[in-house]
Amino acid sequence: MLKPIIRPQLKKLLHKSTLFCMPGHKGSLNALDITEITGADDLRRPKGILHDAQRQLAKVFNVPFAQFLVGGSSLGIHTMVKYYCDIGDTLIINDGAHVAVHNIAKILNLKTITLPINKIDNFGIAAPIMPDDVERTIKQHPDAKAVLITSPTYYGIFSDVKGIAKVCHANNIPLIVDQAHGAHFSFSHSLPPNAIEAGADACNISVHKTLPSLTQTAMLLSRVDMSEQLNLFCTTSPSYLFMMAIEEACIKMHKKGEKMIDALITNCNNFKNAIKFNTLSNNYTDPTRLVISLPGNRANEIANSLAQKRIYIEMCDGKNIVLIPSVNNTKDDFTRLAKELNQF
Ligand SMILES: Cc1ncc(COP(=O)(O)O)c(C=O)c1O
């Protein structure tokens, strides 16, 4: 039976305590926002509650190593690339890789090779990455130290990670997956498996993007221990609020996620049927991601009108709007949005 480890221990340690340590607010902003006091472990060299919490989460995700990322998926991307690449190496990436990939490539002076891009016609967005394209690119660049793909993308498009991992491993190249937008995948049989279960060597998941957790919270899932590289980039003052939020969101989803995600998918499907606009829907798109194609260059205008009604979308690319619903969105949220959209 999985239970949160961090919160109960902090409550015990902080009961009737006097703080002559960080943070400066001394508990006045949040009683459990504390630094690494005796008994609260040390994220750089975890041996106590943080070690136990990470071990428990590794079981939740069915992976050898799970590490807290208190600097978002960006921190995980920097860590994974540094693990596999050194200064001046070659890295194969997908077109449209996140800025964190380009930043670490700059820091390490990497030579990046971009995989071929295919588009989904009506939406003008990137289609899944094909294993054949990855294989061809590896053959053309046998010196590459790793392949890094984004799956799923911002638009919810996921690639055949299993097929791509097979191709990479047949060529002795590790596969890194930026799975920032797929933290929820591990908790439903209606969604693809997490990238490690599909065969990748390491992936990052932004817990904050699709699970009920605090902004900036993420996890690094991997087959090998990457803590040495993680410590090169991570703050030395990790937030316990972040780590508690990650732990509690993942345990909640482990216990109730299947049902909650089923309900979310039903809400998304009903929403798609209720609106008059075209939505992205196929067997390689996350059914919980909503991409709505808006005709006649009206996407920006519609996004702005929704904001004026205090309905905030995730992103507008000028042609489509992208919404990131989660298990915390109510049926009423979807009804309200559908009603407003249908007025345009
Ligand atoms: C595809 C992708 N990867 C990585 C990131 C970085 O995630 P985080 O904001 O958790 O650092 C983002 C953020 O939007 C993203 O869209």
Side-chain angles (χ1 to χ4, degrees):
M1 179 68 171
L2 302 184
K3 275 195 196 146
I5 294 169
I6 305 173
R7 185 182 298 271
Q9 176 69 6
L10 290 192
K11 275 191 170 168
K12 217 163 44 178
L13 291 173
L14 292 167
H15 182 63
K16 293 193 175 167
S17 58
T18 301
L19 302 180
F20 282 101
C21 58
M22 299 182 284
H25 69 78
K26 310 295 172 194
S28 66
L29 292 178
N30 187 306
L32 297 185
D33 181 39
I34 189 66
T35 188
E36 293 164 307
I37 53 174
T38 304
D41 209 0
D42 171 0
L43 188 60
R44 291 178 76 76
R45 286 166 228 84
K47 292 192 179 75
I49 57 168
L50 299 181
H51 168 271
D52 295 348
Q54 291 186 147
R55 288 307 307 150
Q56 183 166 254
L57 289 175
K59 282 193 195 132
V60 165
F61 287 98
N62 191 27
V63 298
F65 292 92
Q67 289 184 273
F68 291 124
L69 296 173
V70 293
S73 271
S74 305
L75 174 58
I77 289 170
H78 296 165
T79 301
M80 295 184 293
V81 172
K82 174 67 183 128
Y83 184 88
Y84 291 112
C85 298
D86 235 315
I87 293 170
D89 282 345
T90 298
L91 174 68
I92 296 173
I93 63 172
N94 61 283
D95 187 74
H98 187 258
V99 63
V101 176
H102 295 287
N103 286 343
I104 186 67
K106 235 184 245 173
I107 292 169
L108 295 177
N109 195 23
L110 301 181
K111 181 178 173 199
T112 54
I113 305 296
T114 307
L115 290 163
I117 180 168
N118 301 305
K119 295 251 172 166
I120 299 173
D121 286 345
N122 300 343
F123 291 81
I125 61 177
I129 296 159
M130 305 310 289
D132 283 355
D133 284 335
V134 175
E135 179 147 51
R136 214 169 304 118
T137 308
I138 293 173
K139 298 275 190 228
Q140 287 162 358
H141 301 276
D143 57 330
K145 289 289 167 32
V147 172
L148 186 155
I149 61 163
T150 309
S151 178
T153 64
Y154 213 164
Y155 294 90
I157 307 292
F158 52 82
S159 298
D160 172 13
V161 175
K162 196 172 166 191
I164 294 171
K166 242 189 196 165
V167 161
C168 289
H169 294 155
N171 289 278
N172 295 318
I173 291 192
L175 175 64
I176 301 170
V177 178
D178 175 1
Q179 202 181 265
H181 288 275
H184 55 309
F185 281 11
S186 292
F187 303 106
S188 166
H189 288 97
S190 305
L191 300 172
N194 74 50
I196 305 298
E197 288 180 306
D201 296 273
C203 75
N204 56 284
I205 52 170
S206 286
V207 184
H208 70 95
K209 290 194 198 302
T210 56
L211 299 179
S213 185
L214 291 174
T215 297
Q216 229 172 293
T217 57
M219 291 211 80
L220 173 61
L221 311 179
S222 55
R223 294 184 187 281
V224 290
D225 183 2
M226 297 187 169
S227 41
E228 192 185 321
Q229 288 72 26
L230 177 54
N231 287 343
L232 293 176
F233 302 107
C234 187
T235 172
T236 52
S237 304
S239 164
Y240 277 85
L241 300 183
F242 287 4
M243 294 186 281
M244 271 189 290
I246 294 170
E247 182 180 52
E248 290 170 18
C250 295
I251 290 179
K252 180 178 176 182
M253 292 304 289
H254 182 71
K255 288 180 179 164
K256 300 184 184 160
E258 194 76 53
K259 263 195 178 158
M260 294 171 98
I261 290 176
D262 274 354
L264 172 61
I265 293 174
T266 301
N267 282 336
C268 288
N269 289 341
N270 290 341
F271 170 80
K272 287 178 193 169
N273 290 330
I275 62 167
K276 62 184 186 187
F277 299 110
N278 203 8
T279 53
L280 186 61
S281 195
N282 51 49
N283 57 5
Y284 49 80
T285 301
D286 174 0
T288 75
R289 187 60 50 107
L290 296 172
V291 181
I292 307 171
S293 170
L294 297 167
N297 294 324
R298 293 192 68 204
N300 286 321
E301 172 208 331
I302 293 175
N304 289 336
S305 303
L306 289 174
Q308 272 166 17
K309 291 178 178 160
R310 296 203 216 161
I311 296 179
Y312 299 109
I313 63 158
E314 171 61 28
M315 191 263 280
C316 173
D317 65 11
K319 180 170 161 50
N320 311 295
I321 59 172
V322 178
L323 316 170
I324 306 187
S326 87
V327 295
N328 274 21
N329 278 112
T330 63
K331 208 170 164 181
D332 285 350
D333 292 342
F334 288 93
T335 307
R336 181 169 176 229
L337 176 64
K339 192 173 151 220
E340 293 296 344
L341 268 177
N342 280 341
Q343 287 178 13
F344 292 102

